[in-house]
Amino acid sequence: MNAVGVAQPRIEGRAKVTGAARYAADVPVPGMAFGAVVLATVSRGRVRDIDVSAVQDMPGVLGVIDHRNAPRLDPKAGGFFGPDGQLQLLQDEVIPFAGRPVALVVAETLELAQAAAEALPVTYDEEPHDTGFTADHPAGRPAVTLFDEPVNVGDMEAELAASSVVIDERYRTPEEHCSAMEPHSATAWWEGERLEAVDSNQGPFTVAVTLATLFSLSPDQVHIRTEHVGGGFGSKGLCGPQLILAAMAGLLFGRPVRVTLTRAQVFLATAMRPATDQLIRIGADADGRLRAIWHEPAFEISPLAEYIEGCTELTKTLYAARAIRTRLTAVPLDILPPYSMRGPGATPGSFALESAMDELAERLGMDPLELRLRNEPVAGPVSGLPFSSRNLVACLREGARRFGWDTRDHRPRLRREGALLVGTGLAASSFSAGAFPSSATITAETDGTFTVAIGATDLGTGARTALTAIAADALKVGTERIRLRISDSGLGPVWSAGGSRGTTSWAWAIVEAAEKLRGQGYGGTVTADTTRSLGDLPSRERHAYSAVFAEVTVGPMTGEVRVRRLLGMFAVGRVVNPLMARSQVVGGMIGGLSMALHEEGVRDPISGRHVNADFAGYHIAAHADVPDIEADFVPDYEPRHSHGRQGRR
């Protein structure tokens, strides 16, 4: 009766390691045809002609869909940020970025479809493009303020003037790609006016609603299943091109059609993290007390869709300062619309803020750990709201103890081993936590088991295992009596797997449903929706926290960087499954290492096209790059959250 907090191997683990688990491209569908996508090769322009006759008579080819015969889509379809032009595939001849789908070739087999797609002649009228991102770009404009509003607290100019030390720095991050191992794949077919699909995505209910809007259907006419997902990191949070094109093809050809993007197409046609250029200024007294933090990031965006790379989230919450000013600038360019990638906004924003704090510590001659401890706030530095819980100091102190921080000399370029410089450093971080409305249904079966149905998605993070434990404890039974149904849009409205709010949101709904069922004597079926209970929560600053310590060597002559060891301490609420949770935070640390040392989407300055749209040119951290990593959790409990979870996927 105490499954939460116990390390358990994932329920589907054996199926995955034996190959029995079926991903979107593995699910058999009778009578299936295959679609191969053709992408635009120019960064801006128009399609002059697509010579369908050149491939129409090739063996096995069923037909070609392009802007001349594609079903019409509703232009109002979108997401958090409003209508999204990225969803309007094959609706006209306009090319807004290199990698935009311009045609889908459908054939009896995947090989035949791909061969015909490669042979399909497409000609363009190319137009001048602009893919050159700079913070002072003349097209730059204030970013929308949906969840990262500009702030101006205190007298910035006066506090900077009164500061003993002022650092003024600029930090840039490149475009980055989500790089999930499983390519995007979908199979769609129509049963009368009902659209059925198997898709790889992070939220089948949300994606089904978007798809219904696109095809002018009611939500109950669209049914999407997502059995297993081989990673997403944000790129599968949208209604992807593979699903839209498969639905079009299923409608036009009257049979199921599977569309699976190639690795290059995943890079060129699905979401990425935008490049950023961040100005940051920090003023402090001689004793390290912060007077002012001024943070002005710019990020690239596409005119097709709004998006916010909220780089200033940490600036508003992490450290106490008398004056804080932030402003976000969006720079529209002829690029693929960016979208959320793991730690959206917070990742590049944290890099800038923490790098600037280290620069300040060096100027002050102060230990970077002490500088951070000295500026711990007692309430939200901008909001003034109390923290629901705040255990950053515990992360910093325990991490420093385990790392042996007090044995280091914090001054730079003093420690050597032969020709190598040896350095140690730390970074603090936070990420907003909470829950979004979700629903769950529990049925008490006649054999003494309980069927728990919730439209959650398991990205490979172990959601099945975590939710089974949560349901078992909430119902006060063993996990063997829980039958979990997830990954189906027909299971009701639910938050997607993203924003580090999946487990928290789903758990809340399951616990409320369990309480209802227990209240009626464990009989029948109950459904809970958390919209009201979440709305009743008091206003608080809600965040998860971490402190990561690193030891690194650098070759001054070669510039080669090697990470020797990483240690991370995390405060993320009550940990549901320590085994899986550790896997997640270690993965995050490896992702940070990979971002720092390798990952960079590179564009040709003349053509504007990506030149490294594959794993040969876009490097990610390999085993040889990753040292032994130590990661652990500090006690952290949020009494107002179901089971005390701050927000682990």
Side-chain angles (χ1 to χ4, degrees):
M1 308 298 181
N2 189 21
V4 171
V6 178
Q8 296 285 349
R10 60 187 64 212
I11 290 171
E12 79 286 2
R14 179 175 292 274
K16 286 182 173 177
V17 299
T18 59
R22 297 187 302 189
Y23 294 84
D26 303 326
V27 178
V29 179
M32 182 171 58
F34 294 82
V37 184
V38 180
L39 302 183
T41 58
V42 302
S43 291
R44 190 162 181 262
R46 293 176 179 272
V47 175
R48 181 191 303 168
D49 184 50
I50 300 177
D51 186 4
V52 175
S53 64
V55 301
Q56 188 67 62
D57 294 330
M58 291 179 66
V61 171
L62 300 176
V64 178
I65 307 174
D66 59 38
H67 64 278
R68 296 166 297 191
N69 64 343
R72 296 299 94 184
L73 302 175
D74 189 334
K76 296 190 296 294
F80 288 116
F81 307 103
D84 187 347
Q86 185 179 0
L87 303 175
Q88 300 299 311
L89 300 182
L90 309 185
Q91 298 302 285
D92 55 38
E93 74 281 9
V94 176
I95 305 299
F97 61 88
R100 176 78 157 183
V102 296
L104 182 75
V105 181
V106 181
E108 293 289 354
T109 70
L110 175 60
E111 294 78 9
L112 292 171
Q114 289 176 334
E118 291 175 2
L120 182 67
V122 182
T123 56
Y124 305 94
D125 291 320
E126 196 166 357
E127 299 174 0
H129 65 269
D130 183 5
T131 58
F133 170 66
T134 59
D136 57 356
H137 194 289
R141 57 168 174 78
V144 296
T145 59
L146 184 61
F147 57 75
D148 197 355
E149 296 183 0
V151 300
N152 191 359
V153 175
D155 190 332
M156 179 61 64
E157 286 71 20
E159 295 298 339
L160 287 173
S163 296
S164 300
V165 175
V166 176
I167 62 103
D168 198 337
E169 300 289 344
R170 187 171 188 169
Y171 301 95
R172 298 178 179 89
T173 60
E175 293 177 355
E176 297 172 68
H177 295 267
C178 295
S179 302
M181 289 296 101
E182 179 206 20
H184 297 55
S185 180
T187 307
W189 65 97
W190 293 74
E191 297 179 356
E193 295 184 351
R194 182 176 174 84
L195 176 55
E196 296 278 344
V198 176
D199 182 41
S200 180
N201 64 60
Q202 295 179 218
F205 179 82
T206 304
V207 170
V209 170
T210 302
L211 200 63
T213 304
L214 277 170
F215 285 88
S216 300
L217 303 170
S218 63
D220 60 5
Q221 289 178 279
V222 179
H223 179 216
I224 296 177
R225 290 180 290 126
T226 305
E227 188 170 346
H228 292 285
V229 182
F233 310 115
S235 71
K236 294 174 183 173
L238 294 165
C239 183
Q242 76 285 350
L243 179 57
I244 299 168
L245 295 173
M248 284 181 172
L251 181 62
L252 291 183
F253 294 100
R255 58 190 288 190
V257 177
R258 174 166 294 166
V259 176
T260 302
L261 302 185
T262 66
R263 178 61 62 194
Q265 289 171 344
V266 170
F267 273 91
L268 297 172
T270 68
M272 63 178 182
R273 192 196 304 280
T276 73
D277 189 334
Q278 305 178 57
L279 296 174
I280 190 161
R281 185 177 299 166
I282 302 180
D285 291 331
D287 64 357
R289 304 286 179 181
L290 299 185
R291 283 184 169 270
I293 308 176
W294 189 342
H295 191 183
E296 293 195 356
F299 64 95
E300 60 184 3
I301 195 173
S302 166
L304 290 179
E306 281 293 348
Y307 174 68
I308 304 167
E309 186 71 1
C311 299
T312 62
E313 176 187 324
L314 277 72
T315 309
K316 301 172 185 177
T317 61
L318 208 54
Y319 302 116
R322 298 180 185 181
I324 297 177
R325 182 180 297 175
T326 68
R327 182 179 65 181
L328 275 173
T329 298
V331 179
L333 299 171
D334 299 317
I335 62 171
L336 168 76
Y339 197 65
S340 298
M341 180 177 166
R342 192 170 191 173
T347 297
S350 172
F351 160 67
L353 178 62
E354 290 300 277
S355 296
M357 287 290 284
D358 283 346
E359 295 285 351
L360 177 63
E362 194 274 332
R363 288 278 302 276
L364 290 167
M366 179 178 290
D367 187 314
L369 173 63
E370 179 58 32
L371 176 63
R372 288 165 171 83
L373 293 173
R374 194 162 293 187
N375 290 285
E376 172 71 4
V378 296
V382 170
S383 69
L385 293 172
F387 292 103
S388 60
S389 67
R390 184 177 170 98
N391 283 307
L392 176 58
V393 168
C395 292
L396 287 165
R397 292 196 184 280
E398 179 60 14
R401 184 190 69 80
R402 297 191 189 192
F403 191 76
W405 185 261
D406 59 354
T407 65
R408 69 186 286 276
D409 189 328
H410 63 77
R411 295 172 296 173
R413 300 184 68 88
L414 292 181
R415 183 177 167 192
R416 287 182 176 269
E417 290 183 7
L420 298 177
L421 288 171
V422 181
T424 50
L426 70 89
S429 188
S430 68
F431 195 75
S432 61
F436 283 114
S438 297
S439 64
T441 298
I442 303 179
T443 300
E445 307 292 355
T446 56
D447 62 358
T449 63
F450 299 88
T451 299
V452 179
I454 185 166
T457 305
D458 193 332
L459 292 178
T461 54
R464 286 178 174 83
T465 310
L467 296 182
T468 297
I470 289 163
D473 279 11
L475 289 167
K476 302 185 184 304
V477 300
T479 55
E480 73 282 355
R481 293 175 64 185
I482 303 298
R483 298 174 180 172
L484 187 70
R485 293 182 58 208
I486 63 171
S487 301
D488 189 316
S489 66
L491 299 179
V494 70
W495 175 245
S496 301
S500 293
R501 288 169 168 80
T503 302
T504 310
S505 302
W506 307 328
W508 205 307
I510 289 172
V511 170
E512 285 199 359
E515 290 172 348
K516 274 188 173 183
L517 192 66
R518 295 201 329 261
Q520 63 184 43
Y522 286 93
T525 297
V526 299
T527 297
D529 185 302
T530 61
T531 303
R532 180 171 181 177
S533 56
L534 290 175
D536 292 339
L537 287 175
S539 295
R540 296 285 189 273
E541 289 266 2
R542 293 185 170 88
H543 307 274
Y545 300 94
S546 68
V548 177
F549 297 75
E551 180 179 300
V552 178
T553 63
V554 178
M557 300 299 293
T558 64
E560 181 181 2
V561 178
R562 288 285 180 179
V563 179
R564 284 186 169 178
R565 59 187 179 119
L566 290 172
L567 182 149
M569 296 299 302
F570 299 85
V572 296
R574 188 179 180 190
V575 176
V576 178
N577 185 316
L579 180 66
M580 296 189 305
R582 183 184 183 279
S583 175
Q584 285 299 291
V585 297
V586 167
M589 293 164 72
I590 294 172
L593 180 154
S594 188
M595 171 188 175
L597 298 184
H598 301 297
E599 297 188 40
E600 179 180 8
V602 179
R603 291 182 183 274
D604 182 282
I606 304 301
S607 70
R609 296 171 58 187
H610 278 293
V611 299
N612 61 336
D614 53 48
F615 285 151
Y618 184 88
H619 293 284
I620 58 176
H623 284 291
D625 301 301
V626 180
D628 288 336
I629 295 176
E630 183 180 351
D632 206 350
F633 304 92
V634 301
D636 189 37
Y637 185 73
E638 167 51 72
R640 295 178 182 84
H641 279 197
S642 170
H643 279 254
R645 273 168 297 283
Q646 288 279 32
R648 193 190 133 263
R649 281 191 182 86

